[in-house]
Amino acid sequence: MPAWRGGFGRLWTAAVVSRFGDALRGAALPLLAYGLTDSPLLISLVTAAGLAPWLLFGLLGGAVADRVDQRRAMWAVDTVRALLMAAFAVLVATGHASIALLILLAFALTALQTLFDNAATALLPSVVPRAALGSANARLMTGQEAAHRFVGAPLVPVLLGLGLAAPYAVDAASYLLAAALVASVRTAAPERDPRPPGATLRRDIADGLRALWQHPVLRSLCLSTAVCNIAIGALIGTLVLLVKGRLGAGDTGYALVITVYGVGTVVGGLLASRITDRLGRTRVLLAGGLVQTGCLLALGTLPGLPAATVALGIFGFVGMVWNVTEVTMMQQATPPELLGRVGAAFRTASVAGAPAGAVLGGAVAGAWGLNTPMLLAAGLFLGGVAALIPALGREDSRGTPRTRA
């Protein structure tokens, strides 16, 4: 188990504080966009601008994270993001915000996040023992999820009552606090082999992709994640249509299923390391994929809000166990000097699949009915489970991926 004192406790607090601020901004920005324009396209561009940098800069962020001191990169990025958010809060308060500014802000913040998140993934193994990575990842993800769903988002209406700029001002303060916490972590500078002559970022990225592809377990896991995230995109993009349209539930019903899903993710984070330690990581992923497939089939076939609520709660629980397991496997199987790049490849694959899945789900719902995206998602999840089969038998007795011979 990771010790709370010292580096990990500060990293955990920084991650939770930062996610709290992100939740405030994520809930407030769409409301502000809606008040600035009545164009659905422009409003959707705010969301798209928050995803595009991962496709454009995700791999680059991973390569840079492997070249620099990750701790310094993290607090420097959060300081810049704090300044951007503070300036934006001033513009909102003085009535100078525009939809174009929102799009630029969303793009800039996520572009900076590509470096921050990849650096954080690479830094964690130097703060906690590698044997404790599972517990550390579980605590980090659980804390972030709880701050996002049960603290940050519900607080937005209260802050908006104080003024339109309040959520963004608090977000700026959260970035500053997170930067100070990360800066206070004392870790040794990463030890890296001297860079070969002629090394470039392009070559660094290629080395990371090659390392990922040549590792049989990580290759299977990445392919599985990419396919499953297409399915999750279809689920997220059409869930409101299923709940309010097919099931006939109102806003309260939709809020209920989302809340139960959040509770499931938090409970899953609390139990993830125990489950994987007992069953083994690949087995947990295989079983989890099958359980999530069953949840999606239930969403697409069973009538009534109670069934949908239970299915989404279980889906969230298993999904968090999957996420913790996936990140831990990647961190334990990847050489420290490649962690940023391999982590970037995972994230880029995830972000690339979700928007495509959302568009596909909407098209399927319009053509064949509001329940069909869930059935499509179930089929995709089965494909994701099949992609994991080559990884069977390649774990040691502790559930750690074996290195390639």
Side-chain angles (χ1 to χ4, degrees), residues 17-335:
V17 168
S18 185
R19 181 59 63 87
F20 165 75
D22 289 344
L24 296 178
R25 185 183 71 253
L29 268 185
L31 298 175
L32 180 59
Y34 186 80
L36 292 172
T37 179
D38 58 0
S39 168
L41 176 60
L42 290 176
I43 293 174
S44 67
L45 283 177
V46 176
T47 300
L51 295 173
W54 275 110
L55 303 178
L56 298 173
F57 308 126
L59 295 175
L60 178 62
V64 173
D66 281 338
R67 286 188 172 207
V68 301
D69 184 321
Q70 289 109 5
R71 181 185 63 86
R72 292 180 179 177
M74 289 169 65
W75 69 253
V77 165
D78 263 357
T79 300
V80 174
R81 291 197 286 187
L83 294 175
L84 287 175
M85 286 308 305
F88 180 72
V90 171
L91 291 174
V92 172
T94 57
H96 290 89
S98 66
I99 193 68
L101 183 62
L102 265 66
I103 293 172
L104 288 173
L105 178 73
F107 186 90
L109 290 175
T110 304
L112 290 166
Q113 186 178 356
T114 61
L115 174 56
F116 182 94
D117 284 359
N118 288 318
T121 300
L123 178 65
L124 186 62
S126 67
V127 176
V128 302
R130 295 182 80 84
L133 280 173
S135 297
N137 282 313
R139 291 183 178 187
L140 278 171
M141 293 183 188
T142 303
Q144 289 177 313
E145 191 70 17
H148 174 81
R149 295 190 179 275
F150 306 128
V151 183
L155 192 59
V156 169
V158 178
L159 291 176
L160 288 175
L162 302 176
L164 289 177
Y168 312 110
V170 175
D171 190 21
S174 75
Y175 278 132
L176 279 179
L177 177 56
L181 287 166
V182 173
S184 69
V185 174
R186 294 291 176 258
T187 60
E191 295 183 3
R192 300 187 177 98
D193 295 332
R195 303 192 61 74
T200 63
L201 284 173
R202 179 180 295 181
R203 182 175 296 178
D204 286 351
I205 292 171
D207 289 343
L209 291 172
R210 188 180 303 111
L212 172 62
W213 186 255
Q214 290 179 348
H215 194 293
V217 175
L218 295 185
R219 180 176 64 242
S220 296
L221 182 57
C222 188
L223 291 173
S224 178
T225 301
V227 173
C228 289
N229 273 291
I230 299 174
I232 291 175
L235 168 65
I236 294 172
T238 61
L239 181 61
V240 66
L241 300 175
L242 177 80
V243 174
K244 299 188 69 173
R246 181 172 182 266
L247 302 181
D251 292 342
T252 301
Y254 182 70
L256 173 65
V257 298
I258 293 299
T259 300
V260 172
Y261 172 84
V263 172
T265 61
V266 170
V267 176
L270 293 173
L271 299 178
S273 60
R274 298 180 186 178
I275 294 172
T276 53
D277 287 345
R278 174 168 296 186
L279 300 180
R281 305 194 193 284
T282 303
R283 295 184 188 91
V284 164
L285 293 176
L286 285 168
L290 292 175
V291 170
Q292 288 186 296
T293 300
C295 292
L296 291 167
L297 287 173
L299 285 170
T301 57
L302 298 180
L305 185 63
T309 303
V310 172
L312 274 175
I314 296 173
F315 190 90
F317 174 90
V318 177
M320 179 60 87
V321 176
W322 175 294
N323 290 339
V324 170
T325 305
E326 170 196 88
V327 173
T328 303
M329 288 176 70
M330 183 268 294
Q331 289 171 325
Q332 290 182 331
T334 305

Side-chain angles (χ1 to χ4, degrees), residues 349-373:
S350 299
V351 174
V359 174
L360 181 61
V364 168
W368 293 296
L370 300 181
N371 67 320
T372 52

